[in-house]
Amino acid sequence: MLENFESIPFYQDFLTKNLLLIPTHKFIVALPQLTVRLSNKDDKLTKLLKDLIKSCAIDHPHHTLPLLL
């Protein structure tokens, strides 16, 4: 689904509105895969991932920060 983020407006709207409403503890298992997708590009997907990982780091620093370091 992330590959189609830029090309399909439905995914953009849905993820932008709803992704940060999901409790962060549900992303702990997926954090290794999400951190790999971070990049220096300045697009909507990267900003959304950064916001999600930032929320995870605030709520669960012991799980998130080692992946970022």
Side-chain angles (χ1 to χ4, degrees):
M1 184 157 71
L2 291 177
E3 291 84 12
N4 297 327
F5 185 79
E6 295 295 328
S7 62
I8 301 176
F10 171 76
Y11 288 149
Q12 288 180 354
D13 293 338
F14 181 79
L15 286 176
T16 304
K17 291 177 185 174
N18 298 315
L19 189 66
L20 297 178
L21 298 176
I22 300 171
T24 56
H25 71 273
K26 297 194 181 251
F27 291 103
I28 290 175
V29 174
L31 277 174
Q33 295 153 358
L34 293 175
T35 54
V36 170
R37 292 194 174 266
L38 286 175
S39 68
N40 289 331
K41 291 193 295 186
D42 194 26
D43 59 354
K44 292 179 183 179
L45 178 60
T46 303
K47 183 185 178 327
L48 190 61
L49 282 176
K50 286 180 181 178
D51 290 343
L52 176 62
I53 291 173
K54 180 180 175 183
S55 296
C56 289
I58 291 170
D59 294 344
H60 310 285
H62 52 285
H63 292 292
T64 309
L65 295 179
L67 296 170
L68 295 176
L69 296 175

